[in-house]
Amino acid sequence: MTSTTTTSRQPDPGPDPDRDPATASAAAPPGRARVALFGAGPWAAATQAPAIAGHDGVDFAGVWARRPEAARALADAHGTTAYSGEDGIGELLAACDAAAFALPPDVQAPLAARAARAGRHVLLDKPVATDVAAARAAADAVARAGVASVVFCTLRFARETRLWIDRQIATGGWFTARAQWLGALYAPGGTSPYAASPWRRERGGLWDLGPHMLSVLIPVLGEVTAVTAAPGPEGTAHLVLRHASGASSTATLGLSAPPKAASVIVECLGDSGTTVMPEWSDPVAAFRDALDALLESARTGRPHPCDIHFGTRLTELLATAEGQMAEISEPSASSAGV
């Protein structure tokens, strides 16, 4: 089944208790920006926290986490203040100019909306949400508040892949592309700390890896006008996309591949021949560049291409694909050879 989706907005949920009329504006933060981090899991500890702490132009305002001990451990490691609980959310929002998030997507979205209504610029993780209504509500809150937003799709900010994407946009003339990200996160004997993530295990590679691949394909080939999706083995997702440029693309996404099959590939084919996306490194530097992009957007008032509205579009596309996959049952063992 092929489906075409459109973007719409929902009303803002109304006043927020954290909103400070004196500071809730779209103005760029004066001097050194105070940046807060919401989340203290493995991704926050490995990427967001060291990036914020090591950034020469910002002050690390603090860390909020649901578990006080997790907030304290990460805050202590970087010489900042720990916050937790409902009161801690409001206290940290009052102490910052921008809020970065490293939380499960459907926890992130309402907190990002709350931060925006408090006048704070927001740097979100991908996906913005797995629920379309929640993503749209957060995007609408950002638009109403006039604050800046960036979604950290790693491939858009890692230097090696960012420059490659820019070159392919400038080259144009693409006929088709294929993207494949097969991880072995849930392979027997795996030791990755991300395997313990409940939302990742529940929603799979479609939601964890799909935003990465779409964030590359869309700027190069154009807006997605139609998506067709089908399930593969062990939760793998297969997508076929049509783009506004007339090009088509495919994406294969999974977290349960055999270790020797794990791979990341993006290949574009067109008038100029074939080109393959390079490998990338240093997610901490990539997140630091995403933070720079947020501060630049706050200073200039110009939206970043990978902002919350783009992130909401990714949620819409992935939700459409997930719905299609749910309608297709995987073949049973008895019928596999028919």
Side-chain angles (χ1 to χ4, degrees), residues 13-327:
D16 188 276
D18 302 311
R19 185 173 180 86
D20 178 356
T23 59
S25 72
R32 292 174 62 85
R34 300 167 301 161
V35 179
L37 175 59
F38 288 82
W43 183 232
T47 302
Q48 281 93 338
I52 297 168
H55 194 294
D56 292 337
V58 306
D59 292 326
F60 200 164
V63 176
W64 178 91
R66 179 180 55 84
R67 295 182 297 113
E69 64 275 17
R72 280 195 302 271
L74 189 56
D76 288 350
H78 295 285
T80 189
T81 307
Y83 298 81
S84 62
E86 178 64 23
D87 289 344
I89 295 173
E91 292 168 1
L92 185 51
L93 286 176
C96 73
D97 303 298
F101 296 89
L103 294 166
D106 294 322
V107 176
Q108 166 181 254
L111 278 180
R114 181 172 173 176
R117 292 194 297 272
R120 305 315 184 235
H121 307 289
V122 292
L123 177 48
L124 299 96
D125 205 2
K126 56 78 205 163
V128 170
T130 64
D131 177 78
V132 172
R136 289 174 178 170
D140 194 64
V142 166
R144 286 175 179 267
V147 296
S149 65
V150 165
V151 178
F152 183 48
C153 294
T154 310
L155 302 179
R156 292 289 289 270
F157 295 98
R159 176 177 172 78
E160 302 91 337
T161 50
R162 182 182 75 239
L163 295 176
W164 181 84
I165 291 168
D166 289 344
R167 286 195 297 271
Q168 308 330 309
I169 294 171
T171 299
W174 299 111
F175 181 70
T176 191
R178 72 178 182 99
Q180 174 179 294
W181 194 325
L182 291 175
L185 193 64
Y186 300 122
T191 59
S192 171
Y194 305 116
S197 165
W199 82 264
R200 235 179 226 99
R201 184 172 288 278
E202 178 186 354
R203 307 311 286 263
L206 177 71
W207 287 98
D208 188 24
L209 307 176
H212 288 306
M213 296 289 91
L214 290 174
S215 77
V216 175
L217 295 171
I218 291 174
V220 173
L221 302 180
E223 173 60 272
V224 173
T225 57
V227 54
T228 303
E234 302 295 333
T236 299
H238 298 285
L239 309 184
V240 179
L241 309 167
R242 287 303 306 269
H243 296 266
S245 65
S248 65
S249 65
T250 62
T252 298
L253 312 161
L255 293 172
S256 300
K260 291 184 178 180
S263 57
V264 182
I265 301 167
V266 179
E267 181 182 48
C268 297
L269 302 91
D271 294 340
S272 59
T274 301
T275 181
V276 177
M277 186 180 73
E279 294 183 358
W280 71 96
S281 60
D282 200 350
V284 173
F287 188 82
R288 195 174 299 131
D289 286 348
L291 179 53
D292 283 338
L294 178 75
L295 298 177
E296 176 70 7
S297 180
R299 184 183 67 80
T300 64
R302 291 194 296 268
H304 190 273
C306 199
D307 67 0
I308 194 170
H309 303 293
F310 179 77
T312 297
R313 179 60 178 152
L314 301 186
T315 292
E316 292 172 341
L317 291 167
L318 294 172
T320 298
E322 185 177 57
Q324 294 179 10
M325 290 170 58
E327 296 176 1

